[in-house]
Amino acid sequence: MFPSTSRDAGRDPWADDPSAGPSGPARGYPPAPRTGPAEAEGERRERTGPRRLRKGGPGRRSDDSSDASPEEETPPVEFRRPLALTVAGFAALLGVGLVLGAQTSGPGHRLPFAVVIFGVQLLYVLAWTMAMRPPALLVVALVSAGTAAIADAAAVQSDIAGLAPLGYAAVAGLLLGVLGQLVRRVDRVRVTDSLGGTLLIVVGVVAFASLIVLSRIPKGTQAITVCLTAAGVALLVARLTDAVAPWPRLAPQVPRGAAGVVVGAMLGTLTSAVLGSYLVGFTPTSGALVGVVTAATAVLADLAVGYAEAGRLMAGEPPTMWAARHMQGPLGGFALAAPAAYAMCVLFL
């Protein structure tokens, strides 16, 4: 008979026998190191964090998401209705002053209109120098005012009505402004950055003088009336629309709406077409043609000034004089509309 128990009872099992329980290292031997895919697979099992899908990229674990900081959102600039109404009133007064000043111009009597233009040029120099603050601000302001006086005198006294004397005055004023900044060692470092600002100020004052030249050519006074009325109506309606319905918003940092820009340009064009049906030498079609260019130019220049101001504030520059900042837009609109009116009168009338 066979015994009920085996002789090997109590002995250790052979190393090559399969074990029923979890595998462990052989007695007396250290565990062998893990290499190859098994180690990578074991490491993957230890990382039990859930994955999160990202748009346009591979999955990302939730434990890594705590390292990324959320993006800071800039709050939009608030619309201020009294400010929009104030700027609209200033644009209307500026347009009325320029149109009525053009009616005083005549053969041998252009000095009153030149005085009106020079006053507007001084406002332009004050607003833009205080808003942009170029190096050697006083030098740039004095040079720009002198350039405005020279350009007006050249526009009144030149034998042939043309823009060449105004171009010479603009080049001379720009060179003097840059040289005035190079003289001072403190301002010499920023002269490259301020070149664009000085150019805008000098060219802007010379652009107003083109209205004096335009009043000396046939149909010039009528063209000034049609074009500047269209520009004034466009700026007025655009600002009034921003005060009532500033929608849709163009940018969070710019308190302007697209509806004001579009409606202002359309009503400015309509006004010029109506004036063209009453003025001698114009038709509704020609009035609308010159009016749409000047109206669109004025509202886009006003809008660009708002974007430039928002860019300066986002760059960390301190805000400047309140009146100068908000006079800058309408003045820039009329400054750009003046050469546009001259070009439309010479090319299409």
Side-chain angles (χ1 to χ4, degrees), residues 77 80 83 87 90 123-133 239 255-256 301-302 304-310 312-313 317-332:
V77 178
R80 290 181 287 179
L83 176 61
V87 177
F90 174 72
L123 283 178
Y124 182 90
V125 171
L126 173 65
W128 280 72
T129 52
M130 293 302 297
M132 303 189 70
R133 289 191 173 274
R239 293 290 183 164
R256 299 296 303 274
D302 186 19
V305 169
Y307 274 93
E309 178 65 22
R312 286 193 294 267
L313 293 178
E317 298 183 11
T320 56
M321 186 186 301
W322 182 88
R325 292 200 315 269
H326 302 297
M327 288 167 55
Q328 190 183 5
L331 286 168

Side-chain angles (χ1 to χ4, degrees), residues 5-291:
T5 59
S6 173
R7 290 184 223 174
D8 299 332
R11 296 182 181 180
D12 293 333
W14 296 98
D16 53 355
D17 288 344
S19 58
S23 62
R27 182 177 298 179
Y29 295 95
R34 296 181 180 178
T35 57
E39 181 180 357
E41 185 177 356
E43 291 179 356
R44 292 194 190 98
R45 291 196 190 98
E46 292 175 1
R47 300 175 184 173
T48 56
R51 291 178 176 269
R52 184 177 59 184
L53 293 178
R54 290 186 300 172
K55 184 177 180 181
R60 185 176 182 180
R61 299 179 184 85
S62 58
D63 54 356
D64 297 336
S65 61
S66 60
D67 300 336
S69 59
E71 296 181 358
E72 297 181 359
E73 296 183 358
T74 304
V77 178
E78 182 182 0
F79 282 99
R80 290 181 287 179
R81 181 175 299 177
L83 176 61
L85 294 176
T86 303
V87 177
F90 174 72
L93 290 177
L94 186 60
V96 170
L98 289 173
V99 171
L100 292 181
Q103 305 305 317
T104 63
S105 178
H109 297 85
R110 297 185 179 88
L111 186 59
F113 188 39
V115 172
V116 173
I117 293 296
F118 186 68
V120 176
Q121 288 169 329
L122 292 181
L123 283 178
Y124 182 90
V125 171
L126 173 65
W128 280 72
T129 52
M130 293 302 297
M132 303 189 70
R133 289 191 173 274
L137 186 147
L138 183 60
V139 174
V140 175
L142 292 177
V143 169
S144 300
T147 304
I150 294 173
D152 295 343
V156 171
Q157 298 180 358
S158 60
D159 296 334
I160 301 175
L163 297 181
L166 305 186
Y168 299 146
V171 172
L174 180 61
L175 292 177
L176 288 177
V178 174
L179 289 176
Q181 298 173 15
L182 288 175
V183 170
R184 299 180 58 185
R185 182 177 301 178
V186 178
D187 301 325
R188 196 179 305 164
V189 180
R190 297 178 52 201
V191 67
T192 305
D193 299 334
S194 66
L195 182 60
T198 307
L199 179 64
L200 286 176
I201 297 171
V202 172
V203 172
V205 296
V206 174
F208 278 109
S210 65
L211 294 175
I212 303 176
V213 179
L214 182 59
S215 65
R216 296 180 56 184
I217 65 178
K219 299 182 183 179
T221 304
Q222 292 88 342
I224 292 174
T225 303
V226 172
C227 294
L228 295 190
T229 302
V233 170
L235 292 172
L236 173 65
V237 173
R239 293 290 183 164
L240 290 178
T241 306
D242 288 339
V244 177
W247 183 89
R249 186 152 187 163
L250 294 173
Q253 296 80 16
V254 182
R256 299 296 303 274
V261 176
V262 175
V263 175
M266 292 175 62
L267 290 183
T269 304
L270 178 61
T271 304
S272 63
V274 172
L275 286 177
S277 61
Y278 291 100
L279 294 178
V280 177
F282 276 84
T283 62
T285 302
S286 60
L289 179 62
V290 298

